[in-house]
Amino acid sequence: MAREFILSPSLLSSDFGNLQAELEALEKAGLQWVHWDVMDGAFVPNITFGPPVIKALRRTSSLFFDVHLMIERPERYINDFAGAGADLLCIHAESTIHLERSLSAIREAGMRVGLSLNPATPLAVVDYVLPQLDMVLIMTVNPGFGGQSFIPFCKDKIKDVSAMIKARNLSTLVQVDGGVTLENARELSELGADVLVSGSAFFGYPPYSTRHQAFKTAVLG
Ligand code: DX5
Ligand code: ZN
């Protein structure tokens, strides 16, 4: 059965020289979320942007800032991202030693709380902290780059985390990030994804309103 879904375009594939214009274009195209991939060159090979860039663009945008941290020891920067205007802060289970403390700190800083898992990380890490999460991010590529291919075994993980959430009557969102395309969007939604992140399959195909509509049609029919 098709379900409602949110598309969160990943700015990693946007024009970094015109981020303000890109955000305006997304808003005009009817998008509600935007996905910021923050990379530190240590947790992942790439380096992108950090709180000052997000803060500068926060002033000009009312999109929901969905911030995906791919950085080591993210607990060091939680208040900076809150100050920059992140709406949701998603950290990797593999990047922090005291996971529960880091997740609580995100909540205390006034943001929605997200937990991301690399493809090979077992779902067990979600178990005890699930009630304190607004969103679980299932990575379906190894993080660090846009334009990679979807790793097929991750489909089981999307199904399993979604079953775990339903079994406990929680409203935690399931986000899927990496290798999402028009072709697999519907299947991912049916497996349990509420929020699909798309970088290369979105920004590579303007105009954004047409592409947004194409994703909606693919998922909802
Ligand atoms: C990967 C990032 C993704 C990436 C997705 O490290 O977390 O958000 O930008 O890009 P595509 O949709 O091209 O796989
Ligand atoms: Zn991401």
Side-chain angles (χ1 to χ4, degrees):
M1 195 186 78
R3 24 184 305 164
E4 280 197 71
F5 91 112
I6 298 165
L7 184 65
S8 192
S10 163
L11 289 172
L12 190 60
S13 295
S14 72
D15 179 358
F16 278 12
N18 286 296
L19 282 174
Q20 188 176 338
E22 293 281 41
L23 291 171
E24 280 167 12
L26 292 177
E27 246 176 284
K28 279 208 186 100
L31 275 303
Q32 290 174 332
W33 284 40
V34 65
H35 185 84
W36 296 82
D37 284 309
V38 178
M39 304 185 181
D40 67 350
F43 183 71
V44 291
N46 252 336
I47 301 178
T48 53
F49 36 68
V53 173
I54 295 176
K55 187 172 189 172
L57 290 150
R58 172 78 286 176
R59 288 194 283 270
T60 67
S61 177
S62 54
L63 290 164
F64 183 85
F65 280 14
D66 158 31
V67 179
H68 177 194
L69 298 190
M70 287 160 277
I71 66 177
E72 283 184 359
R73 297 171 54 220
E75 60 275 11
R76 294 173 294 160
Y77 296 103
I78 289 170
N79 289 331
D80 294 311
F81 283 100
D87 292 298
L88 181 151
L89 199 65
C90 189
I91 59 172
H92 268 263
E94 308 83 2
S95 69
T96 183
I97 295 173
H98 304 290
L99 180 58
E100 194 285 332
R101 178 187 291 156
S102 302
L103 295 170
S104 295
I106 297 174
R107 178 78 65 205
E108 278 158 28
M111 296 175 286
R112 306 278 175 88
V113 183
L115 175 60
S116 178
L117 270 54
N118 281 335
T121 302
L123 268 186
V125 72
V126 173
D127 195 1
Y128 295 109
V129 294
L130 186 55
Q132 66 192 95
L133 304 180
D134 295 294
M135 192 180 85
V136 178
L137 166 47
I138 302 297
M139 285 303 301
T140 45
V141 298
N142 291 297
F145 306 95
Q148 303 181 83
S149 301
F150 185 95
I151 299 173
F153 71 70
C154 296
K155 287 181 187 173
D156 288 339
K157 216 165 156 189
I158 299 166
K159 204 167 73 182
D160 292 348
V161 75
S162 152
M164 194 190 264
I165 291 164
K166 280 206 191 92
R168 300 202 207 170
N169 267 322
L170 294 168
S171 53
T172 322
L173 294 173
V174 176
Q175 183 175 65
V176 171
D177 184 8
V180 172
T181 63
L182 271 190
E183 289 67 38
N184 63 17
R186 186 181 184 103
E187 184 186 6
L188 299 176
S189 167
E190 287 176 351
L191 286 167
D194 304 292
V195 185
L196 294 178
V197 174
S198 174
S200 50
F202 181 84
F203 283 98
Y205 302 86
Y208 302 154
S209 54
T210 311
R211 198 60 175 170
H212 183 203
Q213 191 52 53
F215 268 99
K216 274 196 199 161
T217 307
V219 172
L220 303 171

